[in-house]
Structures are given as structure tokens and as C-alpha cells.
């Protein structure tokens, strides 16, 4: 896992661009889970089974502690 710092109010689309411009250009969606939920479940798979991962679009404002799995097309 890797972390990038972003200013408050950053959208998922903008956050993808902070990682790599290709991710922003080909952005499809972001799957988000809070850090606390991730730790409570112990894995991404367990969190998905409990329905704690939510799918978000470009306009989603990233919250402090969110873990994003960004789906994109090159």
C-alpha cells in the first residue's frame, strides 16, 4: 500500500491525477473504504463481503483516512 497526501476537498478524479496523469485521464470509478473499517475487517476481501466498500464517481470528495482503489482505462 502507498499513501499520497492531498488537500481537503479533493475529488477522487483529482486524487487519481496526483498518483499519475494516466489514471486521471482514464478514470472510471473509485472504490473507497475508510481506514478504520479496513482495520476492523482485517482485509479488503472481508470488507467487501461486509459491504463496507462503496463505489464512487469523479465528484466524490475524498475523506481523511479513505483508502481508494482507482479503476481506470489506459
Amino acid at each position: 500500500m502507498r499513501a499520497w497526501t492531498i488537500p481537503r476537498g479533493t475529488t477522487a478524479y483529482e486524487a487519481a491525477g496526483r498518483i499519475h496523469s494516466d489514471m486521471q485521464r482514464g478514470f472510471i470509478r473509485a472504490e473507497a473504504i475508510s481506514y478504520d473499517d479496513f482495520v476492523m475487517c482485517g482485509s479488503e476481501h472481508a470488507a467487501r463481503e461486509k459491504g463496507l466498500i462503496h463505489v464512487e464517481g469523479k465528484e466524490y470528495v475524498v475523506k481523511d483516512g479513505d483508502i481508494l482503489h482507482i479503476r481506470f482505462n489506459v
Side-chain angles (χ1 to χ4, degrees), residues 4-72:
W4 283 263
T5 57
I6 55 173
R8 290 189 195 278
T10 301
T11 64
Y13 181 72
E14 294 166 336
R18 291 282 299 215
I19 298 166
H20 197 284
S21 61
D22 287 344
M23 290 182 88
Q24 186 174 25
R25 195 173 14 259
F27 184 92
I28 298 170
R29 67 178 179 265
E31 297 174 352
I33 182 173
S34 74
Y35 176 78
D36 293 334
D37 288 344
F38 179 79
V39 171
M40 178 185 68
C41 292
S43 72
E44 182 180 344
H45 181 74
R48 190 175 305 278
E49 285 181 346
K50 291 184 179 186
L52 297 174
I53 296 179
H54 44 102
V55 177
E56 301 292 347
K58 290 181 178 183
E59 300 304 316
Y60 174 72
V61 177
V62 180
K63 297 178 185 74
D64 188 29
D66 273 355
I67 297 171
L68 298 180
H69 184 181
I70 297 173
R71 301 287 184 164
F72 69 102

